[in-house]
Amino acid sequence: MADTLLDKLWRAHTVRTLPSGQTQLFIGLHLIHEVTSPQAFQMLREAGLTVRYPERTFATIDHIVPTASQARPFADAMAEQMTVHLTRNCKEFGISFFDLDNDRQGIVHVIGPELGLTQPGMTIACGDSHTSTHGALGALAFGIGTSQVRDILATQCLAMAKPKLRQIRVEGRLTRGVYAKDVILAIIRRLGVKGGVGYAYEYAGSAVTAMSMEERLTICNMSIEGGARAGYVNPDATTFEYLRERPFAPHGEAFDRAVRWWKSMTTDPDATFDDIVILRASSIEPMLTWGINPGQSIGVSERIPHPHDAPDVDRAAWAEALAFMDLESGQPIAGTPIDVAFIGSCTNGRLSDLRVTAEVVRGRKVAKGIRALVVPGSQAVARAAEAEGLHEIFLAAGFSWRKAGCSLCLGMNEDKLTGREICAASSNRNFKGRMGSPTGRTLLMSPAMVAAAAIAGEVVDVREMLP
Amino acid sequence: MKQNDIRRQIAGRAIPLPGNDIDTDRIIPARFLKCITFEGLEAHVFEDDRRQMPDHPFNQARYQGATILIVGQNFGCGSSREHAPEALRRWGIRGIVGESFAEIFFGNCTAIGLPCLALDAEGVAWLEDAVSRCQEQEVLLDVEHRLVRVGERSVPAMIPDGARNQLLTGTWNAMGVLLDAGNEIDRVARSLPYVNGY
Ligand code: SF4
């Protein structure tokens, strides 16, 4: 029988069928961070239990870290306390922790793949909804809550129901100035923010197989924004080459053996899906959001929609979004002034994102009055960018060059919007209040588009600025 | 299982919260995640929405003490923070009924014994209407029979088998049943190439 990668992953990791009818699923890699783990450790202690497979859990610190000065203790006492707790919990239970003084630290979804922890054929979970990112390497990876973090700590397992599978094929070639971020925004626009509920997404098609690993990570990252808890790309030569020589990937003969297994962990050619959706790559233009969820997006050449264009069920939401964003229906979205430009996050905080940004800003200046920052996704990304001199390009253009962390993506550290500021952002959520100001506004777009907006002081079509 | 872990039926006054795609950043803004326990989160449930909308249902005196939350589509989308269901539970919510739920949020609610039942759009409209006409009206969420009842009328509700079984058998805190697998867990681990250095 022909199987999908989802079928194979599910079967390989099934411990048993639970009385509830759900599957007890073994989790191969568990990643934790400071925000969603403290209560889980507390629950574990209260139950008198210990961590069953401490060597399969890795911790980092990312959400609350300051990106300017990282001197300890942190200025923010609560951030300091969360750090102390994570350190203590990892020490007590024997878990590897990439702390700030460890050069492997970074955003959890950046460092997993970068260190080779994330591998094809694995099940991966983390108390963080963007865990779907890791599916880019051919893993089944999903976000969980704190009670489930506890369950994995105690048993290395989760109680789960198998999702349905939708294949999303992006066929053809992307045009100049269009990136992985635009593809996933176009997918979410088409299928909606709840279209993926109950599904995992398999991304396929010639445009996806042509993508680098970092581009695939961007696509899988935002699966959850489309409602799908997990999204993956079948592993291929790009995946294997990406993993070669990474610290936690197998080395030498073990690598060759691993590749043989990884090659078997792919969707069979005649496998069937619960649904198939096909997009033409050439029809996608640079995208950005105009509203307060990631599905409320348009191409940069389009006009801001009117609620009367909305499907009936969305009309009130569109009106609410437009009022919150203070955008005028019928006007071109290009030309919308911005206050802040943010390059970073687990969606677009990797080296290739910083390279594209540098390409746009090289020799140019950030428009007057715009606050612009580049926050690398990990210390390794920062080092690699500095080795190429990218940080000098950013600094010369008027960006600030920060230390690795989540930063403005959710505003849990000092990086926040103030008041009604509007931010062109390479991150993944434009929810009300997401960037730390309850009334602050976010326009999601590719790093290239953010860079262009920073230079122009307003939304512009990056294709006009590319060399 | 302790009898009080079983979630067969939840009854109480209801609070309707209209709107679709209400994300967990709205339920509990990120700045309140700076904590190491869930204690006190109830004070900040929907904090920013409540400040911006003085007539937000959670601000209205008539809904204080309500235990059933009525929502629209895709409630709880976005971040996986269990702080969101915890904030609702600590505020007093014991069950949620709506058109649909985001998946991680649904799982987190189930994991803390907070049943989420889905109705079709008509069902939600009927329920909101019944409750807004008389907020003393008791709403019954019947997990066992997959029904929502107000007065004499009941409508069919949906809840996936797995979550329903967990609630009815008091095993929504999955840790106990997962532990029961014992050595089976290690057997599966040993069978996985990546656990064994390929
Ligand atoms: S960068 Fe943003 S979305 Fe990604 S893990 Fe951090 S806070 Fe979450």
Side-chain angles (χ1 to χ4, degrees), chain A residues 33 62-63 107-110 128-130 133 221 225 342 344-347 405-412 427-429 434:
Chain A
H33 62 66
D62 49 7
H63 285 65
I107 303 173
V108 62
H109 312 308
V110 175
D128 196 286
S129 60
H130 291 99
T133 311
N221 173 272
E225 258 48 81
F342 170 55
S345 87
C346 58
T347 313
C406 295
S407 175
L408 198 50
C409 176
L410 91 166
M412 270 188 86
S427 49
N428 46 51
R429 286 190 174 138
R434 171 75 179 180

Side-chain angles (χ1 to χ4, degrees), chain A residues 105-447:
Chain A
Q105 176 267 340
I107 303 173
V108 62
H109 312 308
V110 175
I111 66 165
E114 179 177 273
L115 294 173
L117 287 166
T118 302
Q119 293 169 20
M122 273 185 173
T123 45
I124 302 177
C126 171
D128 196 286
S129 60
H130 291 99
T131 308
S132 58
T133 311
H134 306 259
L137 285 92
L140 178 64
F142 42 82
I144 55 176
T146 295
S147 294
Q148 290 176 309
V149 173
R150 169 206 63 201
D151 293 348
I152 299 182
L153 291 173
T155 70
Q156 203 60 35
C157 292
L158 285 176
M160 296 279 294
K162 188 178 175 188
K164 291 184 284 185
L165 186 61
R166 172 178 292 138
Q167 190 186 46
I168 300 178
R169 276 189 223 150
V170 189
E171 300 288 2
R173 266 193 210 213
L174 296 175
T175 56
R176 187 173 141 277
V178 178
Y179 303 90
K181 180 64 155 288
D182 303 303
V183 174
I184 187 63
L185 284 173
I187 290 172
I188 299 167
R189 181 190 194 184
R190 161 106 169 253
L191 298 174
V193 292
K194 39 193 171 279
V197 173
Y199 284 91
Y201 282 173
E202 173 173 308
Y203 300 101
S206 54
V208 173
T209 41
M211 282 182 184
S212 71
M213 190 48 60
E214 296 198 352
E215 293 174 296
R216 296 178 189 184
L217 288 162
T218 299
I219 302 253
C220 290
N221 173 272
M222 288 186 70
S223 301
I224 186 65
E225 258 48 81
R229 198 168 184 180
Y232 68 79
V233 177
N234 278 294
D236 60 9
T238 302
T239 320
F240 311 147
E241 280 319 303
Y242 175 87
L243 281 169
R244 198 185 285 280
E245 305 301 327
R246 303 236 166 221
F248 288 89
H251 289 88
E253 284 177 16
F255 185 83
D256 299 334
R257 289 196 301 274
V259 169
R260 277 200 292 281
W261 185 63
W262 293 340
K263 281 184 173 164
S264 74
M265 294 300 279
T266 54
T267 293
D268 295 330
D270 42 355
T272 55
F273 300 88
D274 298 291
D275 189 28
I276 295 179
V277 172
I278 301 174
L279 276 82
R280 255 190 316 126
S282 60
S283 68
I284 301 172
E285 66 162 332
M287 303 283 297
L288 72 156
T289 58
W290 54 265
I292 54 170
N293 75 47
Q296 294 171 331
S297 69
I298 49 177
V300 66
S301 68
E302 294 180 57
R303 290 171 182 271
I304 297 162
H306 195 281
H308 64 56
D309 305 326
D312 286 351
V313 315
D314 291 331
R315 194 158 300 134
W318 282 31
E320 179 195 349
L322 287 163
F324 181 84
M325 294 301 290
D326 201 13
L327 293 175
E328 200 180 325
S329 298
Q331 294 301 309
I333 189 101
T336 304
I338 63 154
D339 304 302
V340 180
F342 170 55
I343 301 281
S345 87
C346 58
T347 313
N348 284 120
R350 299 184 181 80
L351 185 61
S352 56
D353 302 311
L354 304 196
R355 284 183 182 151
V356 168
T357 305
E359 195 180 317
V360 174
V361 306
R362 185 191 301 273
R364 295 183 164 120
K365 290 267 183 241
V366 169
K368 230 175 133 218
I370 307 285
R371 185 152 57 93
L373 61 163
V374 181
V375 185
S378 70
Q379 293 190 25
V381 169
R383 277 194 304 276
E386 286 174 4
E388 292 181 13
L390 301 183
H391 64 307
E392 278 157 13
I393 298 171
F394 301 138
L395 289 166
F399 279 85
S400 66
W401 171 244
R402 298 296 184 80
K403 300 210 176 345
C406 295
S407 175
L408 198 50
C409 176
L410 91 166
M412 270 188 86
N413 68 350
E414 286 76 3
D415 307 328
K416 292 180 180 26
L417 297 186
T418 51
R420 289 287 280 154
E421 275 182 337
I422 186 161
C423 178
S426 74
S427 49
N428 46 51
R429 286 190 174 138
N430 51 343
F431 297 152
K432 282 182 177 180
R434 171 75 179 180
M435 298 184 123
S437 162
T439 53
R441 297 166 290 167
T442 308
L443 306 171
L444 301 176
M445 56 188 87
S446 73

